[in-house]
Amino acid sequence: MVEQTELYVSWSDYHYLVEQLAVQIYRSGWEFNQIICIAKGGLRVGDTLCRLYDYPLAILSASSYGGSKNQVRGELKFSQHLAMTTEGLGDRILLVDDLVDSGLSLRESIHWLKQNYESQIQDLRTGVLWYKSCSVIEPDYYVEYLADNPWIHQPFEYYEQTTPAELAAKYGFDTP
């Protein structure tokens, strides 16, 4: 049995990777006018890129992980609609997520967007921080290629394993 490697990422490393993705996209010269992030993992990436580029952000909610420590892959589920504040969707889409593991979420998100917005989309490209070799799809932009397919411990993982009651105790507040 092959033991899975693990990668631990600090907040500063995480922000550095998002900035590197922004620079990579910029240096490519590709012109886009809409960012869509796949939530939850792509929220921080999408938020930062929309602030840097000053383009609207839309959110496609997707869920496939749960179980013990949120590390068990299950059925992929999508929201019914994009969440966005603009009246319409841009026609040159940058679709972002934090990583491609199996690649199924990214591949199916592209399929979902084409199924629901095909007439509005002229060009669609993808960007992630981490691209694992086990992925069924290669993103257009990525910062790190991970040949050994490690489990990535991102800095916000702490909040998936902590409760508000634990935080209250940590900061010396009484329970309600």
Side-chain angles (χ1 to χ4, degrees), residues 162-176:
T162 303
T163 66
E166 291 169 329
L167 288 176
K170 174 181 175 180
Y171 293 109
F173 293 105
D174 294 330
T175 57

Side-chain angles (χ1 to χ4, degrees), residues 49-164:
L49 292 178
C50 88
R51 291 170 189 273
L52 287 167
Y53 280 97
D54 195 25
Y55 289 134
L57 177 66
I59 301 167
L60 174 59
S61 292
S63 176
S64 65
Y65 281 91
S68 175
K69 295 185 180 182
N70 212 26
Q71 294 182 3
V72 178
R73 186 177 303 131
E75 178 187 355
L76 180 60
K77 298 176 186 171
F78 288 103
S79 58
Q80 289 187 322
H81 306 284
L82 287 175
M84 56 187 179
T85 57
T86 55
E87 284 190 36
L89 189 65
D91 60 356
R92 293 179 315 282
I93 308 296
L94 174 62
L95 176 64
V96 298
D97 204 351
D98 53 351
L99 62 101
V100 286
D101 187 359
S102 68
L104 297 177
S105 294
L106 187 62
R107 184 181 70 188
E108 293 306 310
S109 294
I110 293 167
H111 176 74
W112 187 95
L113 285 167
K114 288 181 177 179
Q115 187 176 25
N116 291 282
Y117 294 93
E118 184 172 29
S119 66
Q120 297 171 44
I121 299 173
Q122 289 182 10
D123 194 9
L124 186 148
R125 296 190 189 177
T126 58
V128 299
L129 305 180
W130 298 282
Y131 164 37
K132 294 185 181 184
S133 66
C134 62
S135 176
V136 297
I137 184 172
E138 180 178 344
D140 296 293
Y141 306 101
Y142 58 91
V143 181
E144 292 185 354
Y145 175 75
L146 303 171
D148 59 346
N149 302 309
W151 181 264
I152 302 170
H153 295 277
Q154 298 189 50
F156 44 82
E157 186 176 281
Y158 167 78
Y159 299 108
E160 294 174 344
Q161 301 167 11
T162 303
T163 66

Side-chain angles (χ1 to χ4, degrees), residues 4-80:
Q4 184 176 20
T5 59
E6 297 184 55
L7 173 64
Y8 289 85
V9 180
S10 69
W11 277 113
S12 61
D13 291 340
Y14 184 86
H15 292 274
Y16 173 80
L17 292 169
V18 175
E19 290 172 2
Q20 291 303 300
L21 180 62
V23 169
Q24 185 183 124
I25 296 164
Y26 170 76
R27 292 191 70 217
S28 78
W30 180 57
E31 297 286 331
F32 60 96
N33 58 15
Q34 175 77 58
I35 298 168
I36 299 175
C37 68
I38 303 171
K40 299 187 298 200
L43 280 170
R44 289 168 185 86
V45 178
D47 175 63
T48 302
L49 292 178
C50 88
R51 291 170 189 273
L52 287 167
Y53 280 97
D54 195 25
Y55 289 134
L57 177 66
I59 301 167
L60 174 59
S61 292
S63 176
S64 65
Y65 281 91
S68 175
K69 295 185 180 182
N70 212 26
Q71 294 182 3
V72 178
R73 186 177 303 131
E75 178 187 355
L76 180 60
K77 298 176 186 171
F78 288 103
S79 58
Q80 289 187 322

